[in-house]
Amino acid sequence: GAGVSQSPRYKVAKRGQDVALRCDPISGHVSLFWYQQALGQGPEFLTYFQNEAQLDKSGLPSDRFFAERPEGSVSTLKIQRTQQEDSAVYLCASSYYGVESNQPQHFGDGTRLSIL
Amino acid sequence: AQKITQTQPGMFVQEKEAVTLDCTYDTSDQSYGLFWYKQPSSGEMIFLIYQGSYDEQNATEGRYSLNFQKARKSANLVISASQLGDSAMYFCAMREGGYNNNDMRFGAGTRLTVKP
């Protein structure tokens, strides 16, 4: 389809395992964002890419979280040594880069991560 | 400090009636953008409407309109002629101005239930 695609849709992991979440943005969108959404809350910003450059990672909660976008398209969010507090929905969004603040971000369906 | 405040955790509306979802924001920037998103139970975030801080007219998109009161820093979403399919979580979000500022802040959301 033409929208943002995320996989897997659901992920269950044991505490201490590493996980990798994938995001395929809308074709031609330069900007890519990762958000973490806890149950009953709004999304919280994690990190932002412009093409392959990670320009902002201020929202990553710890050094166990790592994101990459090596070729400026698909992005992977990796969480190492997962903890129970990492359980959340991880949303990816993309937008066509512009200098104005009016660019809406288009979201994927999210990956629901559960850490046992 | 909370940038976006949505004071209504839940709202009910009768089908075909109009409903207003409240949103207040906090910023010292002169240039910013305000967004509303809908999140059905399936989890995707659907962009609904945008209002720029310099826009003199309230934004409208079909049955959605934004009641923008800049002096009060409020950006309430009005949904006219509610439909059962409008039942979902609704999030207000803001992106402050600046060439490279892509950090979008979300409120905690309002759960809207449309009654038949």
Side-chain angles (χ1 to χ4, degrees):
Chain A
V4 178
S5 177
Q6 289 188 247
S7 61
R9 190 81 171 88
Y10 301 93
K11 177 69 179 177
V12 179
K14 291 183 179 179
R15 187 165 60 93
Q17 287 183 329
D18 298 349
V19 298
L21 313 180
R22 176 188 167 105
C23 173
D24 200 340
I26 293 172
S27 178
H29 278 193
V30 169
S31 298
L32 185 145
F33 310 80
W34 283 99
Y35 291 85
Q36 181 189 61
Q37 185 176 21
L39 189 64
Q41 300 294 318
E44 296 276 347
F45 170 80
L46 293 177
T47 187
Y48 158 62
F49 289 86
Q50 182 181 324
N51 294 308
E52 69 278 4
Q54 188 175 20
L55 298 186
D56 187 347
K57 53 183 180 179
S58 62
L60 296 177
S62 77
D63 58 7
R64 296 186 295 103
F65 285 71
F66 171 75
E68 60 182 5
R69 193 186 184 197
E71 296 179 359
S73 55
V74 171
S75 176
T76 304
L77 176 67
K78 297 179 179 176
I79 309 174
Q80 298 175 323
R81 305 181 302 283
T82 52
Q83 303 293 318
Q84 283 193 319
E85 62 263 28
D86 300 335
S87 295
V89 174
Y90 290 85
L91 292 165
C92 176
S94 69
S95 71
Y96 175 73
Y97 175 71
V99 300
E100 302 298 328
S101 61
N102 64 350
Q103 294 292 324
Q105 295 177 15
H106 300 273
F107 285 79
D109 290 349
T111 294
R112 184 176 296 278
L113 176 64
S114 298
I115 305 299
L116 304 179
Chain B
Q2 193 72 289
K3 293 260 185 178
I4 298 286
T5 303
Q6 294 181 254
T7 57
Q8 306 153 314
M11 288 283 287
F12 291 88
V13 64
Q14 206 66 38
E15 193 178 7
K16 299 180 185 177
E17 308 247 317
V19 63
T20 298
L21 307 183
D22 294 343
C23 172
T24 58
Y25 59 91
D26 181 28
T27 181
S28 56
D29 281 9
Q30 296 301 308
S31 173
Y32 52 89
L34 297 157
F35 302 80
W36 276 91
Y37 283 85
K38 172 184 178 181
Q39 189 176 43
S41 56
S42 54
E44 71 214 272
M45 295 281 282
I46 302 167
F47 167 68
L48 296 178
I49 195 167
Y50 163 82
Q51 179 83 43
S53 58
Y54 292 121
D55 294 344
E56 295 186 352
Q57 304 238 341
N58 286 342
T60 60
E61 288 286 347
R63 294 186 299 110
Y64 304 109
S65 60
L66 204 152
N67 183 2
F68 181 45
Q69 299 189 42
K70 194 170 182 177
R72 294 185 178 183
K73 293 188 176 177
S74 76
N76 298 340
L77 176 70
V78 180
I79 305 175
S80 62
S82 297
Q83 302 172 357
L84 295 178
D86 293 337
S87 293
M89 284 290 288
Y90 288 80
F91 292 97
C92 179
M94 175 178 66
R95 182 162 68 230
E96 291 166 310
Y99 188 87
N100 274 323
N101 186 8
N102 282 277
D103 179 7
M104 187 175 284
R105 301 295 180 98
F106 287 81
T110 296
R111 180 172 298 281
L112 176 66
T113 303
V114 180
K115 295 181 177 179

